């Protein structure tokens, strides 16, 4: 007899996952390319300066043009949106974030030539590190740079701080420690404070205030940078419309009032926001609220002309770099594409004199940009040649006109209206050139590698085809693991070794993405090659039907009627991935698809007459059974539809959906102002925890899996309630942490760390116990001993044969006990094996519950209601699947239908949205990184794991629970009529041997059991891969679409990450089932006498 193929199944699934991962990596390397960073640097000796004209000369310490200010203070108030800085006196009842920076309005109103407010427009992605790069280099970070927001690399590109240090200026910094990683060894003096803990509103700001005024008064600096984080952290924690935001903005207002008193007359003050924030306090995307920041410029010396614009001007953030560089008298960084703020270079004098000063700044700026474009086009060779020629023509024409005007001025002719008009037109020409140059760069840096993109798509498509073909081959009892697994692996390793060796011999660093892609392609070719000329003769899993391939045309059509419904809905979902409207509204479409699949499935059963008993002259014995199952199925469908409807209460909003209000359940309980509402929601959250614990324990008790004294059973009995209590205590502390004072605050801080870490530790112990002793079976023998329960096996030596010899003996022994019980006329059982029929499912249910506790504490308190719905919906889907299998009559017990796998994947997608997530960066719950780690992290791995677990919680739970689709029909199987008749006749005579029931039927055929697990895993990977392939195609085909970086690129990234998380967790779930099988085998061996 054959043994269960455990390691070949796991290895085959891991290989399939590797194929998908290789395709994802290859496509990503062609779709999300980082722009080339030039190492060139500007210097004072560069011949870019314009010829001198009357009244102009370089003072000592100036470069390129005379510096206008010797000192500058740059205050970055993180997430200072324009709405926060603007003051509207007409608002009688402003919101918490409005009219709090009144001092800026006071300065701009009383000193219009000294102060001005701008709209400071950020370039997406609006994450802090990318904005710092833009504010210091004058360049544009690319889309993929968002991934390194919490793994900052030092900026090697020419930047403003490097120019200041290179020219002997002193730069002092205080605030966000992100700057330390970006600019190491660049500061004359620095005061860094930890920035990652978004729940901490005061540490960074208070640290800055402690050093700010003494440093300003000391004067040992040329540029002072202070980066405040309180406003940004307050937005993440509470949102902008919260009283805490009013307090934080008021603190910033008082800080500015005090700082101005300390400034000298020769100092320039710049107050800037690096980005804005959404209504929920998030940022990272490109919505209007996220990109609209504020910039306030002030000096005690007049800066601006008499003309004051009615509305604040909008300027890109990159414009700050060339402006500040020339004002401080240092060269503009080499890679800058920003435009100088002309009004800051007007100076004293008439209009012609001001225009000439502005033109000098524009000429330098334009020559620097032209030099950069020339160098970049040589390095990257992807700038459009026609656009470059057009830009060169614009630049040359403006330069010639400027030279003519300078010659006219040097002749000493008086200024005339005609000259002033020519000067204004020339300023406009330089502005047009700089604007078009920036546009060309933005288009160029969205460049792609078409060959890698196509190859990545092909690799993912081939992986989907492989999963589909292999799932059909897995139905064979003689699945050829050697030709279908061993040989492809050997071919892949050989190709990888040859390619890697070749790259090393050519002195190039090995491209791991390319090597893995070639290895994956070679192994796929080795898998498909035998299929061209060889089709194995195989028996079907159920052992009753021939393979589809060997049947006639009509039977093939009938065989594909089953997958037609789920595959049709999956195809519609994949096609809709090409619509940005569908991706935006997917939170509402996913529940609709799942509801449609379940409803059509029940309708199909009714159409085929499976909801009623078979027609017969008289009522058949099973009529009551079919009626009961039919009503139960309809009831389950109603519960499923109700769950889908209720899950819509927990959705996050996207900026593209108008008039959408995010679910209040996404906000923590501490954000509620009403104590009564806070207490009510807290009780509901605790009740959901208690309900989950009670439901799981009741199910385990019902099937007899809570009777033994094994460590895992004891953990379920005692640790489950303890975990629920600790989570409830943590919620109680977090909901009132802001209201605690004095000594209680220290105790609260200990509790905020202690309770989550206790949950992490105890849950980890539970997972280890589930792997160590997963068997929850209890054998009870209370009758008089008449011999051993199991007799030794006397046949040929085979461990698997012994196990197959043991199981029937246990059931036979139970039959004998029941027979003797009926003969004696009393009801006391004598032999019982509790939990044997659900031993696999019990281990999975326990692990899923433990994972649920871990994931639940990473979400806000009211998300516990959504998690309760998740577990309820998963249970309903499993029960519907079991009912359909029992009503189908011709269902194959070892084959999980496509509708069940597709519905399971749809449910995982649905609850991705119903746990408050969206495939956009601004919707990521960064707070999860600090649950149990209030003081931050020393590495980036742990916070990445915590945030990832929070984001893909539904993917984790449904992937680990995927084997339940195979196990649940066995757990829920009802006794057939023959078995019921046998029980009635048991008093008279018992001659037939009882067949193993429930999950023990899987152990009758271990080779079919392993093949069924392999087939299930491949089907799950196919459905996930089909969705991923649709996202990949959409991103590739629509890469020039207007919404590619707003909709399709984030959707691809989230879908790819979700696939990777799901596939890994699927392997863990199947590994757990096989670990239980090993433990059950050992348990049976211990029952045999030595």
């Amino acid at each position: 007899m054959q043994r269960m193929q455990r390691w070949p199944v796991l290895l085959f699934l891991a290989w399939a996952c590797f194929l998908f991962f290789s395709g994802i990596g290859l496509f990503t390397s062609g779709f999300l390319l980082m722009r080339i960073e030039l190492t060139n640097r500007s210097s004072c000796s560069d011949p870019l300066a314009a010829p001198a004209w009357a009244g102009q000369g370089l003072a000592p310490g100036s470069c390129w043009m005379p510096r206008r200010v010797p000192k500058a203070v740059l205050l970055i108030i993180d997430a200072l949106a324009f709405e926060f800085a603007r003051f509207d006196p007409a608002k009688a009842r402003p919101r918490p974030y409005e009219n709090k920076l009144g001092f800026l309005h006071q300065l701009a109103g009383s000193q219009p030539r000294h102060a001005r407010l701008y709209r400071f427009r950020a370039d997406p992605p609006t994450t802090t590190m990318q904005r710092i790069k833009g504010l210091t280099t004058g360049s544009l970070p690319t889309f993929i740079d968002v991934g390194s927001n919490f793994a900052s690399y030092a900026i090697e590109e020419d930047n403003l701080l490097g120019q200041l240090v290179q020219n002997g200026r002193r730069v002092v910094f205080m605030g966000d420690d992100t700057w330390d990683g970006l600019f190491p060894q660049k500061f004359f003096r620095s005061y860094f404070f930890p920035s990652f803990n978004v729940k901490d509103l005061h540490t960074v700001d208070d640290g800055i205030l402690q050093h700010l005024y003494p440093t300003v008064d000391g004067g040992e600096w040329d540029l002072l940078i202070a980066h405040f984080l309180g406003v940004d952290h307050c937005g993440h924690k509470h949102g902008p419309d919260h009283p805490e935001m009013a307090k934080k903005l008021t603190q910033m207002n008082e800080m500015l009032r005090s700082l101005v008193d300390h400034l000298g007359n020769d100092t320039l003050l710049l107050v800037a926001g690096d980005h804005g924030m959404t209504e929920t306090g998030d940022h990272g995307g490109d919505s209007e609220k996220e990109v609209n920041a504020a910039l306030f410029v002030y000096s005690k010396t007049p800066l601006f002309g008499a003309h004051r614009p009615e509305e604040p001007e909008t300027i890109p953030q990159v414009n700050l770099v060339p402006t500040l560089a020339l004002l401080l008298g240092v060269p503009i960084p080499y890679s800058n594409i920003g435009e100088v703020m002309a009004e800051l270079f007007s100076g004293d004098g008439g209009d012609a004199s001001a225009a000439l000063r502005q033109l000098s700044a524009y000429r330098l700026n334009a020559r620097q940009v032209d030099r950069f474009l020339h160098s970049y086009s040589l390095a990257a060779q992807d700038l459009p040649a026609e656009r470059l020629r057009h830009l060169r023509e614009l630049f040359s024409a403006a330069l010639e006109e400027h030279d003519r005007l300078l010659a006219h001025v040097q002749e000493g002719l008086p200024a005339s209206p005609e000259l002033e008009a020519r000067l204004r037109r020339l300023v406009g020409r330089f502005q047009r050139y700089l604007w078009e140059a920036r546009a060309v760069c933005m288009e160029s840096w969205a460049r792609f590698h078409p060959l890698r993109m196509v190859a990545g798509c092909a690799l993912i498509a081939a992986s989907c085809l492989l999963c589909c073909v292999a799932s059909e081959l897995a139905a064979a009892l003689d699945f050829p693991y050697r030709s279908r697994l061993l040989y492809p692996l050997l071919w892949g390793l050989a190709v990888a070794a040859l390619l890697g060796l070749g790259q090393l011999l050519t002195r190039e660093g090995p491209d791991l993405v390319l090597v893995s892609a070639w290895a994956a392609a070679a192994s796929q070719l080795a898998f498909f090659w035998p299929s061209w000329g060889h089709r194995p003769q195989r028996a079907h899993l159920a052992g009753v039907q021939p393979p589809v391939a060997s049947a006639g045309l009509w039977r093939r059509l009938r065989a594909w009627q089953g997958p037609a419904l789920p595959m049709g809905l999956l195809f519609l979902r994949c096609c809709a991935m090409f619509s940005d409207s569908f991706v935006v509204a997917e939170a509402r479409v996913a529940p609709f698809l799942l509801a449609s699949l379940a409803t059509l499935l029940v309708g199909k059963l009714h159409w085929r007459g499976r909801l009623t008993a078979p027609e017969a002259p008289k009522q058949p014995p099973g009529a009551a059974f079919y009626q009961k199952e039919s009503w139960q199925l309809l009831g389950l469908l109603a519960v499923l539809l109700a769950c889908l409807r209720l899950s819509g209460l927990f959705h996050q909003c996207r900026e593209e959906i108008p008039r959408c209000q995010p679910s209040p359940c996404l906000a923590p309980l501490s954000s509620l102002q009403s104590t009564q509402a806070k207490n009510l929601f807290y009780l509901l959250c605790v009740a959901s925890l208690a309900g989950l614990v009670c439901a799981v324990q009741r199910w385990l008790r019902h099937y007899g899996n809570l009777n033994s004294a094994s460590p895992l059973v004891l953990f379920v009995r005692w640790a489950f309630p303890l975990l629920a209590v600790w989570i409830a205590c943590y919620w109680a502390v977090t909901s009132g942490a802001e209201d605690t004072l004095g000594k209680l605050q220290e105790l609260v801080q200990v509790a905020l760390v202690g309770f989550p870490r206790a949950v992490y530790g105890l849950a980890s112990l539970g997972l280890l116990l589930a792997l160590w002793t997963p068997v929850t079976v209890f054998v009870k023998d209370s009758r008089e001993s008449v011999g051993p329960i199991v007799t030794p096996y006397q046949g040929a030596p085979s461990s698997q044969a012994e196990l197959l010899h043991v199981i029937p003996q246990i059931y036979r022994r139970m039959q004998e006990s029941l027979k003797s019980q009926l003969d004696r006329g009393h009801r006391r059982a004598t032999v019982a094996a509790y939990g044997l029929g659900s031993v696999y499912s019990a281990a999975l249910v326990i692990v899923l519950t433990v994972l649920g506790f871990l994931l639940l504490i990473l979400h806000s308190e009211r998300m516990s209601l959504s998690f309760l719905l998740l577990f309820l919906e998963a249970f309903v889907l499993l029960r519907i699947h079991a009912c359909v299998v029992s009503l189908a009559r011709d269902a194959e017990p070892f084959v999980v239908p496509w509708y069940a796998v597709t519905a399971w994947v749809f449910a995982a997608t649905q609850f991705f949205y119903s746990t408050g997530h969206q495939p956009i960066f601004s919707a990521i719950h960064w707070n999860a990184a600090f649950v149990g780690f209030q003081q931050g992290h020393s590495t980036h791995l742990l916070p990445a794991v915590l945030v990832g677990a929070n984001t893909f919680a539904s993917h984790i739970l449904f992937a680990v629970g995927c084997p339940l689709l195979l196990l649940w029909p066995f757990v829920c199987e009802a006794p057939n009529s023959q078995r019921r008749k046998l029980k009635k006749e048991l008093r008279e005579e018992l001659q037939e041997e009882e067949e193993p029931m429930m999950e023990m039927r899987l152990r009758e055929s271990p080779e079919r059991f392993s093949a069924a697990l392999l087939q299930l895993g491949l089907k799950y990977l196919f459905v996930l891969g089909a969705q991923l392939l649709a996202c990949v195609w959409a991103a590739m085909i629509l890469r020039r679409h207007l919404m590619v970086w707003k909709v399709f690129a984030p959707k691809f990234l989230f879908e790819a990450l979700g696939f990777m998380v799901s596939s890994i967790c699927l392997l863990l779930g199947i590994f757990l089932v096989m670990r239980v099988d090993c433990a059950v085998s050992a348990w049976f061996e211990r029952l045999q006498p030595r």
Side-chain angles (χ1 to χ4, degrees):
M1 293 187 180
Q2 299 182 10
R3 295 178 58 88
M4 184 177 183
Q5 301 286 345
R6 299 189 183 103
W7 290 111
V9 168
L10 287 173
L11 192 58
F12 195 98
L13 291 174
W15 171 58
C17 293
F18 165 75
L19 299 179
F20 280 105
F21 294 171
S22 300
I24 292 172
L26 187 60
F27 177 84
T28 303
S29 66
F31 182 66
L32 298 177
L33 290 177
M34 297 181 66
R35 67 176 178 87
I36 295 177
E37 293 186 353
L38 302 181
T39 58
N40 308 57
R41 299 186 180 278
S42 300
S43 68
C44 290
S45 59
D46 292 338
L48 300 182
W53 52 277
Q56 185 190 39
L58 286 180
S62 297
C63 256
W64 291 12
M65 71 178 298
R67 69 178 181 182
R68 191 172 182 195
V69 294
K71 292 177 178 288
V73 176
L74 175 60
L75 298 184
I76 299 177
I77 302 179
D78 210 291
L80 181 66
F82 181 77
E83 291 81 3
F84 296 1
R86 191 170 192 175
F87 192 90
D88 187 359
K91 288 194 174 183
R93 301 181 61 183
R95 303 176 75 173
Y97 59 84
E98 293 177 332
N99 290 1
K100 296 301 182 293
L101 297 178
F103 182 65
L104 301 184
H105 175 73
Q106 176 185 339
L107 286 178
S110 61
Q111 305 178 53
R113 295 197 62 193
H114 297 255
R116 186 165 294 180
L117 179 66
Y118 296 90
R119 288 183 183 269
F120 205 35
R121 192 168 184 87
D123 297 293
T126 51
T127 48
T128 297
M129 193 195 76
Q130 281 67 40
R131 293 297 85 238
I132 294 175
K133 286 183 177 180
L135 289 169
T136 55
T137 65
S139 187
L140 300 178
T142 51
F143 180 83
I144 198 173
D145 283 342
V146 73
S148 57
N149 190 43
F150 298 111
S152 304
Y153 300 102
I155 294 179
E156 301 294 339
E157 208 168 16
D158 195 12
N159 58 83
L160 181 61
L161 272 65
Q163 285 296 333
L164 288 167
V165 173
Q166 179 180 321
N167 289 277
R169 308 297 175 84
R170 297 162 298 179
V171 182
V172 175
F173 178 83
M174 53 189 70
D176 185 352
D177 61 355
T178 303
W179 291 72
D180 187 26
L182 294 175
F183 303 101
Q185 310 299 323
K186 286 292 191 295
F187 299 109
F188 178 75
R189 188 180 298 116
S190 58
Y191 307 95
F192 296 113
F193 303 97
S195 61
F196 192 66
N197 189 356
V198 294
K199 291 187 177 182
D200 183 0
L201 309 185
H202 308 294
T203 298
V204 177
D205 292 1
D206 292 346
I208 294 174
L209 294 176
Q210 181 182 355
H211 300 282
L212 179 61
Y213 307 123
T215 303
V216 172
D217 295 337
E220 294 184 354
W221 52 274
D222 296 294
L223 175 63
L224 191 153
I225 304 174
H227 191 157
F228 293 87
L229 290 177
V231 173
D232 178 68
H233 287 189
C234 185
H236 284 297
K237 186 175 182 180
H238 301 290
D241 202 5
H242 192 275
E244 286 295 325
M245 182 62 76
K247 296 179 184 179
K248 183 54 64 175
L249 289 174
T250 301
Q251 181 190 26
M252 294 294 101
N253 188 64
E254 296 305 316
M255 177 271 297
L256 291 170
R257 188 185 303 275
S258 301
L259 178 62
V260 167
D261 294 336
H262 290 264
L263 293 179
N265 294 332
D266 59 349
T267 302
L268 176 69
L269 173 64
L270 299 155
V271 182
D274 57 342
H275 52 75
M277 67 172 62
T278 64
E279 293 180 355
T280 58
D282 300 312
H283 59 90
D286 60 351
S287 67
E288 284 298 313
K289 289 184 177 293
E290 292 171 279
V291 300
N292 272 330
L295 172 66
F296 182 78
V297 182
Y298 171 77
S299 175
K300 293 183 178 181
T301 302
L303 290 172
F304 306 98
H307 174 69
R308 178 182 177 184
E310 296 182 1
E311 286 294 325
E313 183 183 352
T314 300
I315 61 171
Q317 283 190 353
V318 291
N319 290 10
L320 181 65
V321 173
T323 303
L324 194 53
L326 294 182
L327 286 175
L328 292 173
V330 297
I332 300 175
Y334 194 92
S335 300
N336 164 76
I337 58 170
E339 173 189 339
V340 292
M341 299 166 62
E343 58 270 22
L344 292 177
F345 296 90
S346 300
D348 300 326
D351 292 343
S353 177
L356 285 171
R357 290 189 178 91
Q358 292 178 5
L359 282 173
S360 296
Y362 270 121
R363 180 189 177 106
L364 283 170
N365 192 183
R367 292 197 66 178
Q368 170 265 317
V369 171
D370 176 73
R371 181 183 64 176
F372 166 70
L373 290 179
H374 177 71
S375 301
Y376 188 86
S377 63
L378 295 177
Q381 299 181 352
D382 60 353
L383 292 174
E386 292 185 5
R387 299 287 298 276
L388 283 176
R389 281 195 297 270
H390 173 67
L391 288 173
R392 188 67 188 177
E393 292 172 0
L394 284 177
F395 174 70
S396 299
L399 212 60
E400 293 173 0
E401 177 68 15
H402 188 220
D403 291 338
R404 287 194 294 268
L405 284 175
L406 284 181
H408 182 80
V409 170
Q410 288 173 349
E411 292 176 0
L413 299 177
S416 63
E418 180 184 356
L419 177 62
E420 294 178 2
R422 290 178 63 186
L423 290 174
R424 286 194 297 270
R425 287 196 299 270
L426 183 56
V427 168
R429 296 175 72 171
F430 275 118
Q431 289 176 334
R432 179 187 173 191
Y433 166 77
L434 292 171
W435 183 86
E436 291 193 12
R438 182 168 176 266
V440 169
C441 290
M442 293 179 66
E443 295 174 6
S444 170
W445 293 337
R447 63 192 177 95
F448 305 97
H449 195 303
L451 183 59
R452 288 201 173 199
M453 293 169 64
V454 172
C457 285
L459 203 54
I460 296 175
S463 303
C464 290
L465 179 61
L466 183 144
C467 288
C468 186
V469 172
S471 66
E472 289 296 319
L473 293 176
L477 297 182
D478 56 345
F479 182 75
Y481 285 101
R482 175 174 296 181
S483 61
R484 300 295 182 173
L485 177 61
L486 180 59
Y487 295 158
L489 287 179
L490 293 177
W491 272 101
L493 291 174
V495 170
L498 290 175
L499 190 60
L501 183 61
Q503 290 183 345
L504 290 176
L505 292 177
T506 56
R507 297 184 179 180
E508 297 180 2
D511 188 344
L512 296 180
V513 172
L514 201 58
V515 170
S516 63
W518 276 106
S523 61
Q524 284 179 339
L525 183 62
F527 174 86
F528 286 115
W529 184 260
S531 301
W532 290 102
H534 174 66
R535 180 171 296 172
Q537 299 295 326
R538 52 198 173 97
H540 198 261
L541 276 181
V544 294
Q545 293 185 359
V548 174
S550 62
L553 178 61
W554 177 249
R555 296 199 59 159
R556 293 187 187 185
L557 294 176
R558 289 288 302 272
W560 279 102
Q561 283 181 359
L565 174 60
M567 291 297 101
L569 289 176
L570 179 62
F571 178 74
L572 290 177
R573 169 169 163 74
C574 293
C575 290
M577 292 290 186
F578 292 82
S579 167
D580 59 332
S581 301
F582 170 84
V583 177
V584 168
E586 192 178 15
R588 290 177 290 176
V589 177
F592 172 76
L593 290 175
L594 181 55
S596 301
L597 178 58
T599 305
L600 292 174
L601 178 63
V602 175
K604 179 181 176 181
L605 287 175
H606 176 70
W607 179 263
R608 297 176 63 183
R610 299 302 173 89
L611 298 183
T612 58
E615 298 182 1
K618 62 178 182 178
Q619 186 176 9
F625 166 76
Y626 282 103
Q627 184 177 9
K628 178 182 177 181
E629 288 290 304
S630 301
W631 282 109
Q632 186 181 34
L633 181 60
L634 294 176
L636 291 170
L637 178 61
V639 175
L640 175 63
L641 296 178
C643 290
L644 293 173
R645 185 68 177 177
L646 291 174
S647 66
L649 300 176
F650 304 93
H651 284 175
Q652 175 69 278
C653 285
R654 290 185 64 126
E655 180 260 339
E656 298 89 346
I657 302 178
R659 298 183 299 277
C660 176
Q661 294 296 326
S663 171
C665 297
L666 299 176
L669 289 179
S670 59
S671 64
L672 294 177
Q673 303 299 314
S674 172
T675 304
Q676 184 177 2
K678 185 183 295 186
N679 293 337
L680 176 60
F681 275 111
Y682 178 76
L683 292 177
L684 285 176
C685 296
V686 174
S688 66
L689 267 181
L692 177 61
V693 173
C694 292
V696 171
Q697 288 187 342
R698 181 182 177 87
W699 185 89
L700 293 171
R701 189 176 295 109
H702 173 74
Y703 285 101
N705 295 104
L706 276 187
N707 294 316
S708 71
S710 67
L712 186 59
V713 172
L714 294 177
F715 181 87
V716 173
R717 288 178 181 174
W718 301 106
F720 274 19
L722 187 59
L723 284 170
V725 169
W726 285 349
I727 294 176
C729 292
Y730 174 71
W731 288 344
V733 173
T734 55
S735 62
E738 299 294 331
D739 303 327
T740 56
L741 300 173
K743 295 182 178 180
L744 286 179
Q745 186 66 33
E746 298 180 3
L747 185 61
V748 165
Q749 294 302 318
V750 173
L752 289 175
V753 174
F755 282 124
R757 293 191 181 184
V759 172
Y760 296 155
L762 191 57
S764 301
L765 176 62
L767 294 176
L768 291 176
L769 287 177
L771 293 175
W772 179 39
T773 58
V775 176
T776 55
V777 178
F778 174 61
V779 176
K780 181 179 180 181
D781 183 11
S782 59
R783 63 174 294 204
E784 296 181 0
S785 177
V786 293
I789 295 178
V790 179
T791 59
Y793 179 68
Q794 303 297 333
S798 171
S799 59
Q800 191 63 32
E802 292 182 3
L803 296 182
L804 296 177
H805 172 72
V806 169
I807 301 174
Q809 291 192 57
I810 294 177
Y811 279 95
R812 186 184 304 114
R813 199 53 195 280
M814 295 174 67
Q815 287 177 327
E816 294 173 358
S817 302
L818 183 59
K819 181 179 179 181
S820 62
Q821 161 197 327
L822 295 175
D823 290 341
R824 293 193 304 269
H826 57 80
R827 303 176 60 87
R828 185 173 60 86
T830 57
V831 176
Y834 296 97
L836 188 60
S838 57
V839 63
Y840 297 100
S841 299
L844 276 172
V845 168
I846 292 172
V847 168
L848 288 172
T849 308
V850 174
L851 288 175
F853 285 131
L854 278 174
L855 298 172
L856 186 56
I857 200 171
L858 297 177
H859 289 75
S860 62
E861 300 91 340
R862 285 178 282 184
M863 280 293 104
S864 59
L865 303 174
S866 177
F867 272 80
L868 186 63
L869 276 178
L870 184 152
F871 279 96
L872 176 60
E873 184 175 312
F875 173 77
V876 170
L877 286 174
L878 292 172
R879 287 292 298 154
I880 289 177
H881 172 45
C883 287
V884 171
V885 170
S886 63
L887 290 171
R889 301 170 194 159
D890 57 350
E892 301 173 359
F894 285 88
V895 176
V896 179
W898 282 102
Y899 72 79
V901 179
T902 306
W904 203 249
V905 175
F906 283 179
T909 302
Q910 171 219 339
F911 272 101
F912 170 78
Y913 295 100
S914 296
T915 49
H917 298 97
Q918 285 281 352
I920 51 177
F921 293 106
S922 60
I924 295 176
H925 300 173
W926 300 111
N927 290 343
F930 307 102
V931 177
F933 300 91
Q934 296 294 311
Q935 303 303 320
H937 301 270
S938 58
T939 64
H940 298 292
L941 178 60
L942 183 56
V945 170
L946 294 176
V947 173
N950 173 283
T951 305
F952 300 106
S954 63
H955 296 74
I956 294 172
L957 292 174
F958 279 95
V960 173
C962 182
L964 289 174
L965 294 173
L966 173 64
L967 304 173
W968 209 263
F970 292 95
V971 175
C972 300
E973 68 177 2
N976 55 28
S977 58
Q978 181 180 0
R979 191 173 291 114
R980 288 197 300 271
K981 182 179 180 181
L982 186 64
K983 288 183 177 180
K984 292 180 181 179
E985 298 174 351
L986 193 59
R987 290 180 178 271
E988 302 176 1
E989 184 177 9
L990 184 63
Q991 297 179 350
E992 298 183 24
E993 183 177 293
E994 180 74 12
E995 296 180 356
M997 291 179 57
M998 300 174 67
E999 290 178 350
M1000 287 300 101
R1001 292 177 58 195
L1002 294 166
R1003 292 188 57 82
E1004 286 185 297
S1005 303
E1007 67 281 0
R1008 291 180 179 176
F1009 188 12
S1010 57
L1013 287 173
L1014 175 61
Q1015 188 181 46
L1016 173 60
L1018 291 171
K1019 286 182 176 181
Y1020 198 79
L1021 290 176
F1022 171 81
V1023 177
L1024 290 174
Q1027 297 180 156
L1028 173 65
L1029 182 61
C1031 289
V1032 166
W1033 275 347
M1036 180 181 67
I1037 295 174
L1038 303 174
R1039 62 185 180 275
R1040 296 297 180 186
H1041 191 277
L1042 178 65
M1043 306 294 286
V1044 62
W1045 302 117
K1046 191 179 185 68
V1047 175
F1048 296 109
K1051 175 61 179 174
F1052 157 68
L1053 288 178
F1054 276 83
E1055 196 72 32
L1057 291 174
F1059 177 89
M1060 298 174 72
V1061 171
S1062 298
S1063 57
I1064 293 173
C1065 292
L1066 173 68
L1067 292 176
L1068 294 177
I1070 293 179
F1071 172 77
L1072 177 62
V1073 172
M1074 294 184 172
R1075 175 67 187 95
V1076 175
D1077 187 77
C1078 290
V1080 170
S1081 300
W1083 181 79
F1084 279 134
E1085 290 177 351
R1086 289 195 298 270
L1087 293 179
Q1088 300 184 75
R1090 299 296 180 188

